[in-house]
Amino acid sequence: MARSGRVAVIGAGFYGSTTAQRLAEYDIFDTVVLTDIIEGKPEGLALDMNQSRPVEGFETRVVGQTTGQDGSGYDAIAGADIVIITAGLPRKPGMSRMDLIETNAGIVRQVSENVARHAPDTVVIVVSNPLDEMTALTQIATGFPRHRVLGQAGMLDTARFTNFVAEQLDVPVGSVRTLTLGSHGDTMVPVPSACTVDGKPLADVMDQAKIDELVDRTRNGGAEVVALLKSGSAYYAPSAAAARMARAVAQDSGDVLPVCAWVDGEYGISGVYLGVTAELGAAGVRKVVETDLTADELAALAEAAEAVRAKQADVQQL
Ligand code: APR
């Protein structure tokens, strides 16, 4: 496929830099732009990534750009088809994602306003935490149509669940399908009824106690990594998920992926950003795709929606 388009990653920390490198290695974009407020950091990382091109064999160029609080440097994202917002603090051990809300809301709002000014037609993928709230805030601060703002969480949570199941059964990850919906937090809704191993229902190949244990581990998947790292949070699996979403948008693929998207009547829920499966294309979310859920799973999803709805209302004030 010919290379085309420009994708920008805001925030050149662990999450942003690994996302930029993955996007560049896809070798489908003309340019990957990486920005940060730390003077020289994005330029240095871009230089380093470009020097990996001959070895890895990709032609996409990475451009690093320091930005200022006043919006200086944001010219670099002009014309971007996709912007991924990773700016913001990560968790420390013992913190919940919600503990980051005030600090990260200030950062995400400032970034969003600059994105709206310099890349008014872009699709925005948000990854900063707390995810569901930062996605809602980005839509408000950019004023973009809701289908052009989505968040990354379900891809990651689902990938974690899949990995745990595959490790437990000692089978290839490719033979396992799992699904998580709801929030990227305490009200995450893993959906065992939609999970299969080699096409067989998960419940046929694993006892309920073990499924419950893996569901719980998935729900706490981010905290488990944070506790081990002691400073910073996960970024290899998160960046893989964000880059994969960007690829679906860039290629107008129609892939149905678990993402944080605006729901408007699906599952009987309206008016909130929530983890659901959605068909992605060049315009962002083409449509939310409903999955058959058990009564318990549907109730858990409705509960998640109400929990994030309350928090999303609060972010307007931040
Ligand atoms: N504009 C651009 N970059 C910013 C801004 C801003 N206004 N404010 C902070 N940053 C940058 C920081 O300078 C830092 O380089 O965001 C980067 C964050 O990087 P890390 O501290 O390494 O955090 P990371 O692991 O990348 O996580 C980023 O993703 O998963 C979430 O919870 C995590 O909210 C966090 C985000």
Side-chain angles (χ1 to χ4, degrees), residues 10-18 35-38 41 67-69 74 85-91 97 100 104 106-108 110-111 127-130 134 152 156 184 232-235 238:
I10 314 294
F14 288 111
Y15 199 148
S17 57
T18 40
T35 77
D36 202 285
I37 48 168
I38 300 177
K41 183 177 183 182
T67 56
Q69 299 288 355
Y74 267 90
I85 300 180
T86 80
L89 301 191
R91 285 192 277 176
R97 294 186 180 94
L100 301 167
N104 284 357
I107 293 171
V108 168
Q110 184 256 343
V111 168
V127 312
S128 309
N129 274 313
M134 292 305 107
Q152 188 299 113
L156 169 62
H184 188 48
S233 54
Y235 52 95

Side-chain angles (χ1 to χ4, degrees), residues 162-171 206 210 213-214:
T162 297
N163 181 58
F164 292 146
V165 170
E167 282 187 345
Q168 177 63 34
L169 297 173
D170 196 19
V171 297
M206 197 180 278
K210 185 50 81 177
E213 184 188 315
L214 297 188

Side-chain angles (χ1 to χ4, degrees), residues 2-314:
R3 277 173 292 279
S4 65
R6 195 173 181 85
V7 56
V9 180
I10 314 294
F14 288 111
Y15 199 148
S17 57
T18 40
T19 301
Q21 178 77 11
R22 290 188 191 284
L23 291 167
E25 288 183 1
Y26 284 162
D27 206 16
I28 62 169
F29 297 99
D30 265 345
T31 311
V32 175
V33 180
L34 180 62
T35 77
D36 202 285
I37 48 168
I38 300 177
E39 175 76 42
K41 183 177 183 182
E43 289 85 350
L45 290 169
L47 189 60
D48 191 11
M49 287 175 201
N50 283 325
Q51 290 166 1
S52 76
R53 296 191 307 154
V55 184
E56 285 295 329
F58 63 94
E59 296 292 340
T60 298
R61 283 200 49 223
V62 184
V63 173
Q65 176 67 53
T66 302
T67 56
Q69 299 288 355
D70 57 353
S72 59
Y74 267 90
D75 298 3
I77 72 162
D81 309 292
I82 304 162
V83 173
I84 303 177
I85 300 180
T86 80
L89 301 191
R91 285 192 277 176
K92 295 199 174 77
M95 281 174 95
S96 84
R97 294 186 180 94
M98 207 49 84
D99 293 333
L100 301 167
I101 193 163
E102 290 205 10
T103 309
N104 284 357
I107 293 171
V108 168
R109 181 178 283 281
Q110 184 256 343
V111 168
S112 298
E113 288 169 358
N114 282 307
V115 168
R117 206 164 295 137
H118 294 272
D121 300 320
T122 197
V123 170
V124 186
I125 298 172
V126 182
V127 312
S128 309
N129 274 313
L131 188 276
D132 308 276
E133 290 73 14
M134 292 305 107
T135 306
L137 176 61
T138 298
Q139 190 279 321
I140 294 165
T142 55
F144 286 177
R146 293 183 172 113
H147 64 86
R148 276 209 276 131
V149 179
L150 60 161
Q152 188 299 113
M155 290 266 330
L156 169 62
D157 297 329
T158 298
R160 285 179 169 150
F161 195 9
T162 297
N163 181 58
F164 292 146
V165 170
E167 282 187 345
Q168 177 63 34
L169 297 173
D170 196 19
V171 297
V173 286
S175 68
V176 179
R177 278 175 198 278
T178 67
L179 179 63
T180 67
L181 302 173
S183 79
H184 188 48
D186 294 341
T187 49
M188 184 188 302
V189 184
V191 186
S193 73
C195 302
T196 58
V197 179
D198 273 329
K200 294 191 209 74
L202 182 59
D204 289 3
V205 293
M206 197 180 278
D207 65 47
Q208 193 57 44
K210 185 50 81 177
I211 294 175
D212 291 345
E213 184 188 315
L214 297 188
V215 160
D216 206 46
R217 195 173 174 200
T218 301
R219 202 173 275 125
N220 297 307
E224 186 179 356
V225 176
V226 170
L228 288 165
L229 293 179
K230 298 189 183 62
S231 75
S233 54
Y235 52 95
Y236 284 112
S239 62
R244 178 69 186 79
M245 285 168 62
R247 193 171 79 192
V249 173
Q251 297 183 322
D252 194 24
S253 71
D255 290 338
V256 176
L257 302 175
V259 302
C260 175
W262 184 256
V263 279
D264 192 14
E266 295 85 3
Y267 300 106
I269 300 166
S270 288
V272 66
Y273 270 100
L274 190 64
V276 289
T277 47
E279 186 179 311
L280 302 193
V285 174
R286 286 188 192 163
K287 63 175 182 198
V288 171
V289 178
E290 289 186 63
T291 308
D292 286 338
L293 300 178
T294 64
D296 284 353
E297 289 161 353
L298 192 58
L301 187 60
E303 195 183 318
E306 292 323 307
V308 294
R309 190 195 304 281
K311 283 284 168 204
Q312 286 178 18
D314 292 347

